[in-house]
Amino acid sequence: MKKKSSQVVTVLSKSKKEKDSGQKEKGVPPQRLHVEEFFISQKSTLIEANRFINHYTANGWLVGGKSPMKDWKASAKNWISNSINFNHHANNTKSNRSQQLSTTTNKNYFEPL
């Protein structure tokens, strides 16, 4: 029976090594050049690639601030799809506050409010 237990241990250690090597292949954190090439291949910009790198570097390559990133390419695809919506929304929302606060220069102070 001792042989079986040692065989089980070796099988478990092999499967754990395979999982570890799978995570290393994903390359988190990736090299800047790889991220830039990926963003260009997805028809995005280098500016977005740098935003992606800066954001996740600042957060320690954690997703949601808690979980370590497993696949940076999947996160990059989500980043690209969300950046299209975010940038479009940011460009269209001009400040209406300045328009709402406009007043005429001719004021009649004798008129009640």
Side-chain angles (χ1 to χ4, degrees), residues 37-71:
E37 289 174 352
F38 183 78
F39 270 74
I40 296 297
S41 72
Q42 296 293 317
K43 296 182 175 54
S44 187
T45 63
L46 289 176
I47 294 171
E48 282 302 318
N50 287 327
R51 287 180 183 168
F52 175 80
I53 292 168
N54 291 339
H55 173 78
Y56 283 108
T57 301
N59 292 328
W61 292 91
L62 297 176
V63 179
K66 297 178 183 177
S67 305
M69 185 179 293
K70 294 180 181 177
D71 186 5

Side-chain angles (χ1 to χ4, degrees), residues 8 13 23 30-31 33 38 43 46 48 51 55-56 64 69 71 74-75 88 97 99 101-102 107 111:
V8 171
S13 64
Q23 288 178 350
Q31 294 180 358
L33 179 64
F38 183 78
K43 296 182 175 54
L46 289 176
E48 282 302 318
R51 287 180 183 168
H55 173 78
Y56 283 108
M69 185 179 293
D71 186 5
S75 294
H88 179 69
R97 185 173 174 87
Q99 294 172 356
L101 297 177
S102 64
K107 297 179 184 176
E111 185 176 309

Side-chain angles (χ1 to χ4, degrees), residues 59-95:
N59 292 328
W61 292 91
L62 297 176
V63 179
K66 297 178 183 177
S67 305
M69 185 179 293
K70 294 180 181 177
D71 186 5
W72 69 266
K73 288 185 179 182
S75 294
K77 286 179 184 178
N78 287 334
W79 183 277
I80 292 167
S81 65
N82 289 333
S83 72
I84 292 168
N85 297 333
F86 179 77
N87 289 337
H88 179 69
H89 179 68
N91 291 338
N92 288 341
T93 55
K94 293 182 180 178
S95 176

